[in-house]
Amino acid sequence: MASDWSAPPLARSLGAALTLMMVLGVLFAALEFALLLPIPPEFWVIALFPAVALVWFVAGTIAWRRRPSSRTGLLIWVGGISLLAGGLLNTGIQFGIVVGSVFATVIVAVIVHLLLAFPSGRLPDRTSRAIALAGYFVALVLQTPVYVWGMGLFAPAIPANSELATIGGEVQRWAGLVVVVATAVVLGMRLRATSPGRRRVLVPLYGYGMASVVLIPASASLDVALPVPAVVAVQLALIAGVAVAFTVGVLVGGFERTAELEELAAWLGTESGREPLRSAIARALGDPSVELVYWLPVREGFVDEQGIGVDPPDDPGRGFAVIESDGAPVGAIVYDARLVGDQQRVQAVGRVAAIAIARERLTTELRASQTALRHSRVRLVEAADRERARIAKDLHDGLQVQLVLLALEAGRIHDDAQVEAVRDRALHLRQGIEEAADELRRLVHEVMPSALVERGLVLAAEDLVDRMPIPTTLRAEGLDAPLSPTVLNVAYFVVAEGLANTVKHARAASASVSLTREGDVLAVEIADDGVGGTGVHRGRGLAGLADRIDAVGGRMSLRNVPGGGTSLRAELPCGS
Amino acid sequence: MRVVIAEDETLLRQGLRLLLEEGGFEVVAAAGDADELLGAVDAHGPDLVITDIRMPPSHSDEGLRAALRIRSERPDIAIVVLSQYVQRRYALELLGGEASRIGYLLKQRIADVGAFRDDLRRVAEGGTALDPEVVAVLISRAGRGGGDVRRLTRRQREVLAYMAEGRSNAWIGQRLVLTEKAIVQHTSGIYDALGLPVTADDHRRVLAVIRYLDGAAD
């Protein structure tokens, strides 16, 4: 997806900046490693500090490149820098010891910050901002007793005091615990509110992050069981894993490399071969779940791309940003509020894309009215079918029965009459009534063929074929499943009209009917070997039929077959 | 003779009952749908069943299906199926492998009261009554591709149609104002032309003719 267009200027300059940062990161890590030399064999573990910092730098760079609009990459870089600073503690030089002491626990606060700000890298609300701030307070301010009194860093001016240091340590531990619990509560609430798909990414990430936040400070008490280098190694391994976890979270969370607003604008400037507007906006926001809806003035409501009405979502997790152009709404962007967080950014994207949205809206409006028109035509056809069926049924059940009864009565008069003249007249009467009944029977049959009602399309077509004056074959395939009454009717009348045309105009020696259902399409074909000719005189009866076929979304073609003859073919959609 | 009627139109059901009772038939039950019909057949074991094809609840072919069921379970009961419209497929299904005790007629044939009662009696006595219209479809269909039916004389085709309807030689002779002997001559001419085996029973003759006509098409 990202390779569809060459990298825009902004992406290129971001790439250059990240490369430069990576070079500096490697340099500083190497510098720290040099300062740590010579490392006694039993303290091999201190060499891991610059190594783990490097892991964070690499992870941060990847996250930043792949998702420039998220601040997760930046936060991972901050974490890496704090790790590098903390590692200076072991260098043995005065400046290093001071900086190292100050930054010793900042990495825990950064992890808390990362957890609360994932995936956008921004703290979405006041609570999470307060918790993150408290985290830094505990890591930086409440750390002071540890190095001022505990380590006697400023010894002559402020003498070491183990009692105060212990108290300070306890205060920091309990305050840290409060921060951790608050973070756990906030994350738990987010997990409950999130979608199942997102939860699959968040649960392991949150779990691992929280575990490391708890284990990194607590593992210090493990040193009774394990040698110090082993404990520190475990801590550092955990920390390295955090950076990897967040970067993986950013990448597998379904986020494509995101375009910034300028990239979106550049995309809007290109004319040909572009992807749908929705995908471009989804990429600009880094939210694959983005939906675009359009304002339809005639309905005074929003519709989707198919022209189907859409209401603003009830779900608080789905953001709804109305896009305006010239002070009137043109559409709205529906987005993942937890992922994007910042409504301002959505509005900014919307302003850039407003004209394109307005254009798509016109297309959608057209499509919506087209859809409505098609539905109304189908309804008309169905209503006509129903009405015909009703009339036919009324005639069948009412008038036809009455005629039979009248003929029966005439027949009985004929049988009972003593006078020859009366017998004759009753006989004539009965025959007259029977002729009328015949006429009516034919009429009813033309409108509503009984075989179609009783046994479906194949048998009804077979009856038409049986009554053809020329040899006619019938082939039916895939017609086991029932068809909708509308399709059934249209298909039957195509066969009836096609065969009637053959008899009337084609002077054919033989004909064939084929009914084939393949998937959601029913193909009806009537072919003959007659004189051909697709002129108006042959098509007149088909005109009304063509409208019906068109209304149900089908197609009809009448063509001359090479070597003589005509083929009438209709394809009708018959999906469920 | 004990008869069960199945017809969902009340007026027609009453008309049928009247017509049958005046003709000396005993109507033991009159059903309004296929389930009632099957129940009445079980309860009364009639000699003859007269049923409409299209009946409640679905108004499709339940009368025909009930008739086929009675025919397979109780071959001793004669059945006459009435319908507003006749077609080849239903005729073939009703005849099955045995043309005895079966009738398939247009509903309006009941108006010719005498002929209709004769048809009923013929079917009840083991014969056949196929509607002239469905026979006409069969004959025209058999003749449309050329074939032997076309080589018959007009009179022979007339006789062939009556044979297919299930008529006896005596009846055909009376109808065409010919001697029975002349009819026998016509029938053997037909047998020769179509290559049919000579059969004595009228209903076996029907089956042979219908099978020939159905197979001769196209």
Side-chain angles (χ1 to χ4, degrees):
Chain A
M1 209 161 153
S3 59
D4 286 353
W5 20 294
S6 58
L10 194 78
R12 278 205 298 273
S13 74
L14 174 69
L18 285 173
T19 308
L20 181 65
M21 275 170 66
M22 198 61 224
V23 169
L24 288 175
V26 172
L27 273 178
F28 277 106
L31 186 66
E32 181 172 300
F33 186 73
L35 289 173
L36 290 170
L37 292 174
I39 301 167
E42 64 269 30
F43 283 113
W44 53 271
V45 73
I46 61 172
L48 288 180
F49 274 91
V52 173
L54 263 182
V55 170
W56 277 64
F57 290 152
V58 172
T61 304
I62 292 171
W64 205 328
R65 267 191 79 89
R66 294 294 292 270
R67 235 194 124 201
S69 66
S70 166
R71 287 197 194 149
T72 304
L74 171 68
L75 275 177
I76 296 176
W77 260 91
V78 168
I81 292 168
S82 76
L83 273 169
L84 206 58
L88 288 173
L89 184 67
N90 303 309
T91 54
I93 52 172
Q94 184 63 23
F95 167 76
I97 292 170
V98 172
V99 173
S101 310
V102 170
F103 279 90
T105 55
V106 169
I107 188 63
V108 179
V110 173
I111 295 172
V112 166
H113 188 170
L114 269 170
L115 280 169
L116 290 169
F118 188 83
S120 69
R122 290 172 180 82
L123 294 164
D125 48 44
R126 199 175 290 185
T127 316
S128 56
R129 272 195 290 276
I131 296 171
L133 205 63
Y136 287 110
F137 181 81
V138 171
L140 282 167
V141 180
L142 295 186
Q143 175 79 355
T144 45
V146 177
Y147 52 84
V148 173
W149 289 308
M151 293 164 65
L153 217 56
F154 310 106
I158 309 166
N161 185 329
S162 66
E163 204 175 316
L164 284 175
T166 311
I167 292 169
E170 283 299 307
V171 168
Q172 188 192 26
R173 186 172 303 153
W174 284 105
L177 193 66
V178 170
V179 170
V180 168
V181 169
T183 308
V185 170
V186 168
L187 297 184
M189 284 184 339
R190 284 194 201 166
L191 273 184
R192 269 202 8 212
T194 198
S195 64
R198 189 118 296 161
R199 203 174 289 150
R200 275 199 295 279
V201 178
L202 290 182
V203 165
L205 187 70
Y206 284 178
Y208 183 69
M210 288 308 295
S212 49
V213 165
V214 173
L215 283 177
I216 292 164
S219 58
S221 53
L222 286 176
D223 55 7
V224 288
L226 288 168
V228 174
V231 173
V232 177
V234 167
Q235 286 182 339
L236 286 172
L238 267 175
I239 290 169
V242 171
V244 175
F246 273 98
T247 305
V248 171
V250 164
L251 300 188
V252 304
F255 315 116
E256 283 298 323
R257 187 193 145 122
T258 309
E260 286 288 359
L261 280 182
E262 286 82 351
E263 296 184 65
L264 176 66
W267 173 85
L268 289 169
T270 62
E271 268 304 321
S272 59
R274 30 186 245 192
E275 61 189 321
L277 181 60
R278 192 207 73 81
S279 328
I281 291 176
R283 292 206 293 151
L285 287 174
D287 172 8
S289 77
V290 156
E291 296 158 62
L292 270 185
V293 295
Y294 306 96
W295 175 258
L296 216 56
V298 281
R299 290 206 207 154
E300 299 204 327
F302 292 97
V303 297
D304 67 9
E305 280 151 32
Q306 266 72 49
I308 296 161
V310 175
D311 290 327
D314 298 331
D315 181 1
R318 298 296 289 167
F320 192 80
V322 176
I323 310 304
E324 297 192 338
S325 176
D326 288 338
V330 291
I333 297 173
V334 187
Y335 58 96
D336 189 332
R338 276 180 289 273
L339 188 64
V340 178
D342 186 359
Q343 163 114 32
Q344 293 303 314
R345 280 179 57 232
V346 184
Q347 290 291 357
V349 165
R351 274 193 297 279
V352 172
I355 292 168
I357 293 177
R359 193 172 61 189
E360 296 259 317
R361 191 199 66 167
L362 290 176
T363 314
T364 303
E365 201 169 347
L366 195 63
R367 208 175 291 147
S369 62
Q370 224 175 14
T371 308
L373 188 65
R374 212 188 66 233
H375 285 170
S376 111
R377 288 183 70 189
V378 170
R379 279 198 301 277
L380 279 176
V381 166
E382 283 170 352
D385 280 352
R386 266 200 308 278
E387 192 59 11
R388 272 190 338 186
R390 189 188 65 76
I391 292 169
K393 190 172 187 314
D394 284 356
L395 290 175
H396 175 274
D397 296 347
L399 196 51
Q400 220 168 348
V401 168
Q402 274 187 20
L403 284 175
V404 170
L405 286 169
L406 286 174
L408 176 61
E409 193 54 33
R412 291 176 64 211
I413 292 170
H414 168 264
D415 283 4
D416 295 347
Q418 307 297 322
V419 184
E420 191 64 23
V422 175
R423 281 175 66 88
D424 280 356
R425 287 172 66 189
L427 180 65
H428 275 113
L429 179 61
R430 197 200 83 206
Q431 284 166 344
I433 296 170
E434 277 188 60
E435 275 167 29
D438 266 336
E439 286 288 310
L440 182 65
R441 203 156 54 81
R442 257 184 276 283
L443 181 73
V444 169
H445 187 76
E446 272 173 21
V447 174
M448 191 182 65
S450 49
L452 194 62
V453 179
E454 292 161 9
R455 291 278 185 93
L457 181 59
V458 178
L459 202 82
E462 187 189 76
D463 188 51
L464 287 172
V465 165
D466 279 352
R467 285 160 206 267
M468 282 291 284
I470 54 170
T472 307
T473 57
L474 172 68
R475 197 170 58 90
E477 259 173 52
L479 281 161
D480 301 328
L483 296 161
S484 80
T486 310
V487 172
L488 198 68
N489 268 298
V490 175
Y492 175 82
F493 288 111
V494 170
V495 177
E497 191 63 40
L499 289 178
N501 264 322
T502 295
V503 172
K504 265 186 241 161
H505 307 293
R507 298 206 301 273
S510 69
S512 67
V513 175
S514 106
L515 308 166
T516 324
R517 182 174 183 172
E518 262 178 44
D520 286 345
V521 175
L522 172 66
V524 181
E525 186 161 1
I526 298 94
D528 64 54
D529 59 356
V531 293
T534 53
V536 185
H537 65 288
R538 287 204 66 175
R540 199 173 300 151
L542 298 173
L545 207 53
D547 278 348
R548 288 164 61 92
I549 292 169
D550 198 40
V552 298
R555 287 185 308 174
M556 182 176 79
S557 61
L558 182 66
R559 61 190 175 86
N560 289 317
V561 180
T566 309
S567 159
L568 171 70
R569 183 182 170 86
E571 283 170 19
L572 308 169
C574 53
S576 42
Chain B
M1 192 183 306
R2 303 168 69 249
V3 186
V4 169
I5 312 173
E7 163 64 57
D8 61 318
E9 281 297 326
T10 319
L11 285 173
L12 205 55
R13 195 163 63 223
Q14 285 167 354
L16 256 177
R17 180 194 275 270
L18 196 64
L19 144 78
L20 290 170
E21 283 171 353
E22 282 175 357
F25 293 84
E26 183 196 349
V27 178
V28 291
D33 62 45
D35 287 343
E36 272 183 49
L37 167 62
L38 293 171
V41 167
D42 277 348
H44 301 284
D47 303 306
L48 175 66
V49 166
I50 301 171
T51 179
D52 188 8
I53 285 189
R54 210 185 293 178
M55 281 192 290
S58 72
H59 290 280
S60 65
D61 62 345
E62 38 274 278
L64 183 69
R65 275 183 278 135
L68 290 171
R69 195 169 140 193
I70 296 167
R71 199 153 157 71
S72 72
E73 286 172 6
R74 299 284 304 269
D76 57 309
I77 297 178
I79 300 171
V80 172
V81 173
L82 297 178
S83 175
Q84 301 270 30
Y85 188 84
V86 286
Q87 51 198 339
R88 179 177 65 95
R89 175 67 49 190
Y90 291 177
L92 295 178
E93 283 177 16
L94 284 168
L95 288 177
E98 172 67 77
S100 177
R101 291 198 178 80
I102 192 73
Y104 180 37
L105 297 171
L106 275 177
K107 216 176 244 185
Q108 70 196 55
R109 304 289 178 219
I110 65 175
D112 191 347
V113 181
F116 180 63
R117 287 187 195 131
D118 287 346
D119 285 340
L120 294 182
R121 287 198 193 91
R122 189 168 83 245
V123 170
E125 284 158 12
T128 316
L130 272 189
D131 198 90
E133 190 173 305
V134 77
V135 169
V137 168
L138 278 158
I139 291 181
S140 112
R141 187 169 165 277
R144 68 192 179 189
D148 296 333
V149 174
R150 284 220 169 160
R151 293 213 298 273
L152 298 178
T153 63
R154 204 166 144 258
R155 183 42 62 91
Q156 280 176 325
R157 248 180 285 170
E158 225 171 347
V159 173
L160 178 69
Y162 288 134
M163 284 159 66
E165 284 174 27
R167 307 295 187 180
S168 65
N169 285 353
W171 188 94
I172 300 172
Q174 214 173 8
R175 177 67 180 234
L176 297 179
V177 202
L178 292 169
T179 61
E180 205 173 328
K181 206 176 157 206
I183 300 300
V184 172
Q185 273 178 351
H186 279 307
T187 55
S188 35
I190 294 168
Y191 287 143
D192 286 347
L194 304 184
L196 288 174
V198 180
T199 42
D201 291 342
D202 292 341
H203 66 265
R204 291 228 175 86
R205 186 165 83 172
V206 171
L207 199 62
V209 168
I210 298 294
R211 277 184 180 163
Y212 171 80
L213 290 174
D214 192 51
D218 305 332

